[in-house]
Amino acid sequence: MSLTHAEIFECPYCMTPNDIEIDEQADVGQQQIVDCQICCSPIEVFVRLDEWGLVVEAKTDSQ
């Protein structure tokens, strides 16, 4: 049994879908820097939980 959830977010640079594995116990409320799987640009990812479930917010490092 996996403790992670696969979530998809859009790269703010090249607009392609990226996937990320999220551990609800450790990643919610945390900010991470991940590289886009297509263009390799650094993306600031923030994971939060709202009334509909997990939300992944992705932005460039200049926003």
Side-chain angles (χ1 to χ4, degrees):
M1 182 173 121
S2 176
L3 297 177
T4 62
H5 300 279
E7 293 291 328
I8 297 175
F9 66 93
E10 188 174 273
C11 173
Y13 296 97
C14 67
M15 306 309 167
T16 56
N18 281 251
D19 61 326
I20 188 171
E21 291 290 321
I22 298 174
D23 178 349
E24 278 191 55
Q25 298 295 319
D27 295 335
V28 172
Q30 300 295 315
Q31 180 177 342
Q32 302 176 33
I33 304 293
V34 297
D35 290 334
C36 175
Q37 297 163 349
I38 304 300
C39 72
C40 299
S41 297
I43 305 167
E44 289 185 28
V45 175
F46 183 74
V47 179
R48 63 182 172 87
L49 194 59
D50 68 9
E51 60 269 8
W52 294 286
L54 289 170
V55 177
V56 178
E57 297 174 0
K59 62 181 184 175
T60 65
D61 60 355
S62 62
Q63 288 182 329

